[in-house]
Amino acid sequence: MSLTRTLLDTRPLHTSPAFRRLLVGRTVSVLGGFMTMVTVMYQVWAMTASTAWTGAVGLAQALPLVVFGLFAGSWVDRGDRRRIFLTATVGQAACSVLLAVQGFTGHVPVAAVLALVAVQSAFGALGAPAQGVFVPRLLPKEQVAAGLALNQVAGQSMMLLGPAVAGVLLGWPGIGVCYLLDALSFGVGFYGAFGLPALPPEGEPSRAGLHGVLDGLRFLAGHRVVRGALITDLAATVLSFPVSLFPLVNAERFGDDPRTLGLFLSALAVGGIAATALSGPVTRLARPGLVMLCGAGTWGGALVVFGMSSDPWAGLGLLVVAGAGDAVSVFSRSTIVQTRTPDALLGRVTAAETMVGQAGPSLGNVRGGLLAGWTSGTASLIIGGLLCLLAVGAVGATTPELREP
């Protein structure tokens, strides 16, 4: 196999100038988003010195996605997706500008900061399902997986870079500058989508309100492949997401060294970037269901072995493997959703996928923490990985369509 076919498939960058602009805009806006995530946590902690309030930041980000997600998806399936995305981007940028203003002026109650975060998240809940239809509308079907892999590697690269940049800026010009740069990053995202043609739904538009939401849920319940893809993702996150366990596992197994703890999350991201950078063979394989099952199984299996490891370097290597499996599973899941869902339903199904991707890790962190309280961090990690393997195996066994081309 040639090196060109082994590396990340870059055909979408040459096939579609519109996709190329979108990717640049998305990459910059994701960078700004990670900067703001760190900045909000830093500001709320500086204002309150309370873990309850810093925990409320996650709640302010997650609740709007859950409350508005499916209704936003129904709205997206009734209108011009391009216009809806641009509207959502302007709303998010306005929230970042207001965050920057309060960052420069100070003396704003912490509840007001969280309210701005929640409003920005609500606009994000609207923009995500609109953006989710762009790739299958701009690229040939055989290049959709490659386009999603490019989005994945860009996002994970920014996950590494964004917090580091925020840390540097917080130590010098301060929180206002971080928020302002995030607002400017949304401007780049707006530019990336501005040149797109109108993208109304193909087929019958969604019914309004709850009826449209229920139509989307009926599709999810009845389509075995798409349903299996979302269940697989829930199995990998709710049953085995390990991040909340890292401090305890580090104390139990690795001497409570803060340097080791800091590398845990980086190892997951490095694995994801490496796997996506070498994703050419799996995106060309055109068997996303099988690839997704193997990736999710690799994630769970690597976490089991990580829980048994006492050597920090071996542990970091296993987390790199876990991150690689997760990345492959995620872009394969998105490929299934975006190629198996009718365009007229894609906004609602993408909204459900976004909710699964956002809520699953949060629930997984809660599960891991509760189980660790009853047992230990190591036991919670191993049990979670084994449960993930069992659940993924069950999905694969009961959904043979996922294993087929």
Side-chain angles (χ1 to χ4, degrees), residues 38-247:
V38 173
T39 305
V40 169
M41 294 292 289
Y42 175 85
Q43 182 183 4
V44 170
W45 175 256
M47 294 171 72
T48 66
S50 166
T51 55
W53 278 108
T54 55
V57 173
L59 199 61
Q61 293 167 332
L63 272 181
L65 290 171
V66 175
V67 173
F68 301 118
L70 290 177
F71 288 95
S74 180
W75 185 20
V76 164
D77 284 337
R78 293 200 309 276
D80 176 6
R81 280 78 174 264
R82 168 189 171 273
R83 181 174 296 177
I84 291 171
F85 175 76
L86 293 176
T87 300
T89 301
V90 170
Q92 289 177 287
C95 290
S96 289
V97 169
L98 292 174
L99 284 168
V101 170
Q102 66 83 30
F104 285 122
T105 59
H107 310 296
V108 173
V110 65
V113 176
L114 295 183
L116 285 172
V117 171
V119 173
Q120 187 175 60
S121 182
F123 279 114
L126 177 63
Q131 188 179 43
V133 309
F134 291 162
V135 173
R137 291 286 288 269
L138 296 175
L139 297 175
K141 186 174 181 179
E142 67 273 11
Q143 293 184 24
V144 169
L148 294 171
L150 286 163
N151 279 340
Q152 178 86 353
V153 73
Q156 291 192 318
S157 299
M158 295 306 100
M159 185 174 72
L160 276 178
L161 182 61
V165 172
V168 172
L169 293 176
L170 287 171
W172 176 43
I175 60 175
V177 170
C178 287
Y179 290 134
L180 187 58
L181 289 175
D182 185 30
L184 295 175
S185 78
F186 283 117
V188 181
F190 185 95
Y191 167 77
F194 186 75
L196 294 177
L199 293 171
E202 296 177 343
E204 184 178 352
S206 168
R207 294 193 290 172
L210 185 59
H211 293 293
V213 172
L214 293 176
D215 290 340
L217 292 176
R218 275 191 287 270
F219 172 81
L220 287 173
H223 197 293
R224 289 168 56 83
V225 174
V226 175
R227 184 183 67 213
L230 296 186
I231 291 174
T232 300
D233 189 72
L234 285 172
T237 53
V238 175
L239 297 180
S240 60
F241 202 71
V243 173
S244 66
L245 298 172
F246 282 169

Side-chain angles (χ1 to χ4, degrees), residues 6-8 153 156 268-279 320 323-324 327-328:
T6 300
L7 295 175
L8 180 67
V153 73
Q156 291 192 318
L268 289 174
V270 166
I273 293 170
T276 314
L278 300 173
S279 63
V320 169
V328 168

